Amino acid sequence: MNTLEVLYKTDYAIVQMNRGKVNAINFEMVQDLRDIFYELGKNDTVKGVILTGKPHYFSAGLDLIELYGYDKPQIQDFFVSFGALYLELVQFKKPFISAITGHSPAGGCVLAVTSDNRYMAEGDTYVIGLNEVAVNIQISQNLTEVYAYWMGDGLAHRYILSGKLLSGKEALAAGLVDELVPLENVVLRAETQMHHYMQADQEILRNTKAKLRKHLWDKLDLKAENSLREASELWWKPETRAKMKAYVESFSSKKNQ
């Protein structure tokens, strides 16, 4: 896999996103994540999974520069696959922890909120949140449900509608993350929690997780082709394309300076 590195421990695995400096999500990374979580879900020797990123970036979200160049079939395939990844992660049966090693806006947050625990690097500069409205991407109903699952309907409503990115302290207060720890200890903290899970009867643990998430699952549209259809269609609005073009050109000019 070109975008991931996998480290197998005694009874769990650590999946590290490894694509460029900021782990921007493209179609290849989505497919790699789907493949590895499918494999780990079927592997009886792996009883839990930790997802992490690089120092300072868990994931900066969707790779808008690459996605801007996709044609209509490609962007449709991307959103269907990304919607499927989200559903697969939110229904992942085994203990699943996110070790958030820095920034985690938009698509990065989408991945993180599917997990059972989120340990985030402390620091005033790191942000997390669903800022899709602010970057002109249509959020799915499925995603609003899981945001509200962790922080409650009221906060989720206000934060999603305003496109707010939360600091670590704000995310902790809202219930979006479990704990803030020094960057160098984020993965270690996730492993400590995973070791705790490994001491439990795994069938009881999985059954309990399913019971805790049943009301969430009942609210979800389990057809991936439906969940992000609006996002795929609205991607081509002239106003949206113009803003994305300006972003891509601005970013490209900064790289060339």
Side-chain angles (χ1 to χ4, degrees):
M1 292 183 178
N2 294 325
T3 68
L4 307 174
E5 292 183 5
V6 184
L7 176 63
Y8 290 90
K9 295 298 188 85
T10 302
D11 43 15
Y12 61 92
I14 300 175
V15 177
Q16 182 185 35
M17 292 179 281
N18 184 31
R19 181 175 183 265
K21 180 181 178 181
V22 302
N23 279 330
I25 300 167
N26 67 347
F27 187 77
E28 182 181 23
M29 178 181 274
V30 170
Q31 291 298 98
D32 283 352
L33 284 167
R34 293 186 69 189
D35 289 345
I36 194 60
F37 271 87
Y38 178 81
E39 292 175 15
L40 296 175
K42 296 293 185 182
N43 188 337
D44 291 336
T45 65
V46 175
K47 297 179 174 61
V49 180
I50 295 171
L51 179 65
T52 190
K54 295 181 174 182
H56 310 301
Y57 283 93
F58 180 70
S59 170
L62 303 187
D63 187 343
L64 295 180
I65 294 176
E66 180 171 325
L67 268 61
Y68 178 77
Y70 288 1
D71 60 23
K72 287 190 176 182
Q74 287 175 317
I75 205 67
Q76 182 178 0
D77 288 346
F78 172 82
F79 279 121
V80 170
S81 188
F82 191 53
L85 171 63
Y86 166 82
L87 287 168
E88 290 156 8
L89 294 182
V90 84
Q91 295 178 94
F92 193 69
K93 295 179 179 180
K94 300 177 181 181
F96 170 31
I97 300 172
S98 290
I100 303 171
T101 50
H103 295 294
S104 187
C109 185
V110 173
L111 301 179
V113 294
T114 62
S115 58
D116 300 304
N117 302 93
R118 284 162 297 285
Y119 300 105
M120 184 173 178
E122 61 186 14
D124 294 336
T125 62
Y126 299 139
V127 293
I128 185 171
L130 299 178
N131 64 327
E132 275 75 0
V133 168
V135 295
N136 301 296
I137 295 176
Q138 178 61 59
I139 197 169
S140 70
Q141 183 67 40
N142 280 352
L143 195 49
T144 67
E145 298 293 355
V146 81
Y147 217 44
Y149 178 78
W150 293 116
M151 66 172 64
D153 290 335
L155 276 181
H157 182 105
R158 288 193 290 273
Y159 288 163
I160 290 174
L161 207 56
S162 64
K164 180 176 174 59
L165 290 175
L166 286 70
S167 68
K169 291 179 180 178
E170 289 174 322
L172 181 63
L176 187 59
V177 301
D178 298 42
E179 194 174 319
L180 301 177
V181 295
L183 174 60
E184 62 272 17
N185 294 335
V186 172
V187 175
L188 179 61
R189 178 65 184 90
E191 289 190 87
T192 299
Q193 180 61 38
M194 188 61 74
H195 290 149
H196 173 75
Y197 286 143
M198 295 300 96
Q199 295 172 15
D201 180 282
Q202 295 304 298
E203 184 176 7
I204 290 175
L205 194 66
R206 290 193 295 271
N207 288 344
T208 303
K209 176 176 177 176
K211 293 178 188 301
L212 288 167
R213 293 200 174 205
K214 182 181 184 303
H215 295 302
L216 170 62
W217 293 342
D218 288 346
K219 295 179 180 179
L220 301 179
D221 185 340
L222 300 181
K223 294 182 178 179
E225 62 271 21
N226 293 338
S227 62
L228 284 170
R229 179 178 292 139
E230 285 180 322
S232 178
E233 293 172 352
L234 293 173
W235 182 266
W236 301 103
K237 280 183 64 176
E239 304 94 317
T240 301
R241 296 294 291 174
K243 290 177 181 177
M244 271 186 206
K245 181 180 180 181
Y247 168 79
V248 170
E249 290 175 348
S250 173
F251 186 84
S252 298
S253 65
K254 290 178 181 177
K255 286 181 65 177
N256 294 329
Q257 288 177 357

